[in-house]
Amino acid sequence: MIADPRRGSEAAKKPARDVWVWFAGLILMGILVRVILWLTYKPIPYGDTGSYLRLGHWVLGTGEYGFDGTRVPGYPVFLAILGLDPLRVWLGQMGLGLMIAGMLFYLGWRMTNARIGFLLGSLYSLTPGQLLFEANLLTETLTTFLIMLCLFLFWGLKESKSFKLGLFLTAGLGISASLVGMVRPLFFPLTLIIIPFLWFILDGSNKNRISLVAIYAFFPLLLQGGWLLYMRMNWNVLSPTTMAGYSMVQHTGGYFEYLPDDYAAIRDTYIQYRDAQIAERGVQTNAIWKAIPAITEASGLGFYELARELNQISWMLIREHPELYLQNVVSGWVNFWKAPVYWEPEMMQVRFIRTIFQLLAWAGQGISVLANFGFLLLSFGIVLSRQLRSSIRIDIILWLSLAMVWLISIIQAFLDHGDNPRFLVPMQMVVIYVVLVVTIRLKEHLGVSRSRK
């Protein structure tokens, strides 16, 4: 009997159709959820929003003040592109959210199958800790988009067989990785950690590898290096912003009593605000932002001079009391994994919808905390157990994902001791991605092992 060649063709087309069905379902679900939010919620400003909008006016040339060096320019430029209108910004961040879900689908599909891709994308669109941030006039959604774009382009580079396509993808990766730090300064080091992974993912001669790595490195040198040079020339700091000194007080402000009398004006003024903050909230977190005007007046230092002075005295306190600093570092690292949900329930106009999202918020936070705990366990297991690495077929994408999350978790703990749980938000889906893929592969391995017995 002669086989009908059309049967093989139709069989080959069916998996492709299935992928498109799952992808279309994900996007339609994501649009529906966001339409419901659009009709019942509103964009939410936070304490940081005003400074971003002020710099957005500077970008458009409509502000009263020039650039002040307190922020990197990425998010103000994004706001300016959207006309500084909160509704447009929310709509733009919703669009980024759909693209994030789409990239998660692609990564999940290529690593496992289309159903897992759908699950991964759905977790983003249905987890309030991620979805509701799209309504917040803050940097997290744009940062998440750029991080996922880095992984998406890295995967494309891994699968690419064309040197010309590799050039394009490498340039895109260099731009995306650079822009992450230009939106959130904490993520500046991501450009460096990608380089060794990029080297090992590339095929061909060392000459081709060097060429592609050089193309990648050109963009961080141009964008981030140029920005650091600009800051050095205009504000005499070698950091992405002029705020490093104020951020370090988040660490050292708890033991400002140890400052000598040479710094009495700064010390005593800050302690007043710190103690008031502790009486009100139980912690000194963010007291420095309220205290700046009073400290400026008491010390006679300008805003930038005070920032440099606080940076110097903070490092002096750290050298003299390293144990107190390390206690804050450890607690900041632990807080990083708490998976908060930043939203305003009372702003949701329909009570029934508010109740649903409240339930989703609790469930989503629970899933995120479990994923974070699983990520830590799996990280140690992967590093310590060769058998586990073999069982889950760990590849360079998973290694890069692990490295990115660990790098940020450590850096943020050393540099700040304030809103540490918020720093994980842009990396939360990377954590969930790693845990989901590793769990599925481990389950498959156990299933194969049982069947052999």
Side-chain angles (χ1 to χ4, degrees), residues 380-427:
F380 291 118
I382 288 169
V383 171
L384 298 174
S385 172
R386 180 181 300 177
Q387 183 178 359
L388 179 60
R389 293 196 296 272
S390 175
S391 300
I392 63 175
R393 308 186 310 278
I394 187 166
D395 54 30
I396 198 165
I397 302 291
L398 286 175
W399 278 122
L400 175 60
S401 301
L402 286 163
M404 289 169 64
V405 175
W406 272 99
L407 175 70
I408 297 304
S409 76
I410 293 170
I411 289 176
Q412 61 85 36
F414 279 94
L415 294 183
D416 205 327
H417 189 67
D419 295 326
N420 298 85
R422 182 180 156 191
F423 298 144
L424 176 60
V425 171
M427 307 290 293

Side-chain angles (χ1 to χ4, degrees), residues 255-276:
Y255 43 98
F256 251 43
E257 290 87 350
Y258 295 118
L259 281 174
D261 289 340
D262 293 346
Y263 304 99
I266 293 174
R267 179 194 65 197
D268 298 343
T269 305
Y270 177 74
I271 287 175
Q272 291 177 12
Y273 281 83
R274 183 199 67 185
D275 291 350

Side-chain angles (χ1 to χ4, degrees), residues 96 99-104 106-107 141-157 168-169 171-177 179-180 194 400 404 426 430:
L96 293 179
M99 287 189 279
I100 292 167
M103 288 187 286
L104 285 165
Y106 180 83
L107 291 170
T141 298
L142 180 56
T143 307
T144 303
F145 169 77
L146 291 169
I147 289 170
M148 294 312 307
L149 184 58
C150 287
L151 290 178
F152 178 77
L153 292 171
F154 193 84
W155 180 271
L157 193 57
F168 174 77
L169 293 172
L173 180 60
I175 294 170
S176 301
L179 291 179
V180 180
I194 289 174
L400 175 60
M404 289 169 64
V430 180

Side-chain angles (χ1 to χ4, degrees), residues 49-63 65-73 75-77 79-80 84:
T49 303
S51 62
Y52 290 123
L53 290 172
R54 185 181 70 251
L55 295 177
H57 279 290
W58 168 77
V59 172
L60 293 176
T62 59
Y65 306 100
F67 184 73
D68 56 15
T70 57
R71 301 286 183 184
V72 285
Y75 196 61
V77 170
L79 295 177
L84 305 179

